Structure formats: structure tokens, C-alpha cells
Amino acid sequence: MEPAVTVLRLESHAKVNLGLEVLGLRQDGYHELRTLFQSLELHDDLELRARRDGRVTLRCDHPAVPLDEENLAVRAARELQRLAGEKRGVDIRLVKRIPVAGGMGGGSSNAATTLIGLDRLWKLGLGPDGLQPLARRLGADVPYFLVGGTALGLARGDEIYPVLPQLRAHLVVVDPERPLSTPAVFRRLDASLTPRENGTSIFRFLSSHLAGRPAFGALVNELEAAALEEAPDLRDKVAAIRGILRSAGASLLSMSGSGATYFGLFDDAAGAVAGQAALEAAGFKAYRTRTVSLDRYRRGAWAPAEARRRGALRKD
Ligand code: C5P
């Protein structure tokens, strides 16, 4: 018989929003969004170790990461445990690389990856579809991280539709080391928000991408103005970041999510190398990374357990 798996090591990937449209305020207080998510190779490391006594603990190397229920990964584990009537617990170890409160979905990714991992560790057999309702309750960005790759997010950003073709690109991510509160950015936006039925920027981009000539210029992040109102101290830095990424030849440069991380997209590694070097020379913290496709994301998150099951069947 296959020995029980008691430790899992998983990569918890970052995302950027290639574009983000805010269509209006919803009855539930959230905003109606249309966004294009993209997962990145940049990731945190997550280790899950089953424990028999039912406790859920978290250790993390980053001082700004909460270790209690405020942490979405801890909440994810406790809620899944409660829902599934699971007697076992888990020790979670987190190595942080994704900027904290930077608009790259680090906390949401940690929560979704914890759900995926515990589904395997505790052998619940829920899969992405079974985990979806809990992911939605945990946060608007969490459902995306059950899927990954290039995907459209509708409603609160929690209705996920993968798109074809998946985008392949090199990126430079700049962390201005200025955490921003998402609710605060949305509140700023409300002051100037004009509800509208539709926006076309993401759809225009998607049709051009399908035709093989991606019009990155069509994409916008409609939270950027509100983020810079919330953090006016960032304006000069952002102007400098934009200038450097533009000179390095980025085909798209934008803020991610509710900020304040910025990124530049490049067709080839050489452009990204030049962009990162120029940003570092100007004193910025910049990472070079690449896109992760839907297929690769799925293989990383879900496939090892399937492979093990197949192995066990062969042995039988
Ligand atoms: O769902 P989550 O807790 O990640 O959302 C954080 C905050 O972002 C919400 O409390 C809300 O202020 C804002 N938000 C929103 N509309 C969305 C997503 C998030 O207003 N679609």
C-alpha cells in the first residue's frame, strides 16, 4: 500500500492584473469588476505538515505576515477542517517572496494553495470545483488561485474563466515597498465612481491577442488613480518606474491589483534583464519573472497527487 503523505511542499504563485475595470458598486458593498489575471513564476514556498491533534499553526519568516486568524491561509485551513469534519490539523510553514499588501495576491494565493494542499493531505477529494465555494467566502481573489494561468475574472473578480491563448511573457515586477490597503483604495475610488454597464478594454485586448497582435495599449488598471490618491507619496516613484520600464521597451506597464506593485511586460528575456538592471540602478527593488500558463499551474498544484494515485494503481 502507498504510505500516507504527511508533508507537502507547494509553490504559492503571485499574480498580476494585466487589466482591471471597475464597472460599479454592487448591492453587497463589493465592486463589479472585469479583470484579466495572470499567474507568475514568482512564488512563496508553502509547506504543509499534517498533525494528529487537530491544531492549525503557521510559521513565517516575514515580520509583516500575521500568524493568527487574520492570516487567510490559517482561516482557509480552519474553515476547511470545520466543513469537512476533519480531525487532523496542520503545521503551515511559509517562506515569503511575494510583496506583502502589494496587489499581487500573496495572501489569497497562500489561502488557495493551502486549500489545494489540504485537500490532498487530508484526502478530501474535493478538487478545484469542490473548493470553489469556500475559496469565494475567504476573499474575492482566492478562487482565481485555484485555477491560475491567464484568466478573466468577473463579478467580484471571483468568477473565473480561463482564456486562450495563454499569455507567454517575461516580466519585471517593482515593489515600491509601500503597502496599500485594498478597502482604502476602493473607498477612494467610490468618491469618483460613475456606474456603467460596460467597459471594452479587456475585450478589445482579448480579441487582438486572439488575432496574434496583442494590443497591450488597450489595457488599463482603473484602480491606479485611487491608489495614488491614497498614497500621494508614491507619485514621483511611479513616474520614475514608468519612465524606466518604458525606456527598456516594456509592451505593457501597469500597477497590479490595488497596488502598489508595478510591472513591465517584455517579449524576451533581454528586455526584462535590461529593465531590472535599470530599476535596480535607480535604487528600486525589482524582480524578474515569467508567466505561468494554466496547464503548468494545474500540473504544479494538482498533478503530483494524481501521479501518485496512478503509481499506486500500477503497483496494485
Ligand atoms: O474579498 P477581499 O477581502 O479580498 O476584498 C478586500 C476588500 O476589497 C473588500 O473588503 C472590498 O473593500 C474591496 N473589494 C471590492 N470589490 C471587489 C473586490 C474587493 O470592493 N470586487
Side-chain angles (χ1 to χ4, degrees):
M1 212 180 82
E2 189 190 16
V5 179
T6 55
V7 187
L8 271 181
R9 288 181 193 89
L10 294 165
E11 295 182 348
S12 176
H13 290 270
K15 60 86 177 160
V16 286
N17 301 77
L18 299 169
L20 194 158
E21 297 168 40
V22 187
L23 302 180
L25 191 59
R26 297 160 51 100
Q27 298 279 352
D28 60 10
Y30 273 72
H31 293 77
E32 187 72 17
L33 301 184
R34 184 177 301 144
T35 185
L36 191 59
F37 287 113
Q38 175 63 57
S39 44
L40 306 181
E41 282 181 355
L42 173 66
H43 63 271
D44 294 341
D45 290 323
L46 204 63
E47 186 187 276
L48 304 175
R49 190 175 293 267
R51 35 187 309 157
R52 290 165 193 242
D53 65 1
R55 285 187 59 208
V56 172
T57 71
L58 171 67
R59 273 192 299 157
C60 179
D61 61 340
H62 194 297
V65 172
L67 302 176
D68 56 7
E69 282 273 328
E70 206 191 314
N71 190 297
L72 222 45
V74 172
R75 281 224 315 268
R78 296 218 171 115
E79 295 214 11
L80 183 62
Q81 196 182 34
R82 198 170 47 79
L83 271 176
E86 175 61 46
K87 297 281 181 294
R88 279 167 292 184
V90 65
D91 287 326
I92 306 170
R93 253 191 57 200
L94 179 60
V95 177
K96 261 283 152 204
R97 284 191 212 89
I98 306 173
V100 177
M104 301 193 76
S108 304
S109 170
N110 296 164
T113 308
T114 298
L115 293 179
I116 293 169
L118 289 179
D119 188 41
R120 288 166 46 184
L121 203 62
W122 293 340
K123 297 196 166 45
L124 305 177
L126 293 168
D129 292 344
L131 293 170
Q132 201 66 240
L134 173 52
R136 268 192 183 173
R137 280 204 301 283
L138 288 167
D141 272 358
V142 182
Y144 163 69
F145 288 103
L146 296 177
V147 179
T150 317
L152 193 59
L154 302 184
R156 301 188 317 168
D158 55 355
E159 257 183 42
I160 305 302
Y161 301 93
V163 300
L164 285 174
Q166 293 280 296
L167 189 74
R168 283 170 64 99
H170 297 258
L171 286 94
V172 177
V173 168
V174 195
D175 177 9
E177 299 182 274
R178 166 66 160 89
L180 264 177
S181 146
T182 302
V185 171
F186 273 104
R187 272 197 303 275
R188 290 264 174 195
L189 179 86
D190 286 339
S192 57
L193 188 64
T194 328
R196 57 200 164 101
E197 288 286 298
N198 222 325
T200 56
S201 103
I202 287 174
F203 289 148
R204 271 189 292 138
F205 169 75
L206 286 175
S207 355
S208 67
H209 181 44
L210 191 60
R213 288 184 303 278
F216 288 108
L219 294 171
V220 286
N221 182 338
E222 293 182 351
L223 289 178
E224 184 174 9
L228 293 180
E229 260 177 48
E230 180 64 19
D233 49 297
L234 273 181
R235 284 179 195 275
D236 289 349
K237 275 190 183 175
V238 167
I241 290 168
R242 283 190 167 277
I244 293 170
L245 287 172
R246 195 173 299 114
S247 306
S251 44
L252 168 66
L253 55 101
S254 178
M255 189 183 84
S256 181
S258 57
T261 304
Y262 277 75
F263 65 91
L265 206 76
F266 296 87
D267 298 337
D268 55 20
V273 169
Q276 184 195 24
L279 283 160
E280 284 182 343
F284 289 106
K285 197 173 195 176
Y287 309 85
R288 200 148 49 80
T289 185
R290 286 191 308 185
T291 51
V292 171
S293 70
L294 179 69
D295 258 10
R296 262 200 51 213
Y297 192 92
R298 193 180 285 151
R299 279 202 305 273
W302 297 97
E306 282 163 21
R308 240 194 326 273
R309 271 203 293 280
R310 277 202 300 278
L313 281 179
R314 265 203 305 279
K315 262 185 269 153
D316 292 346

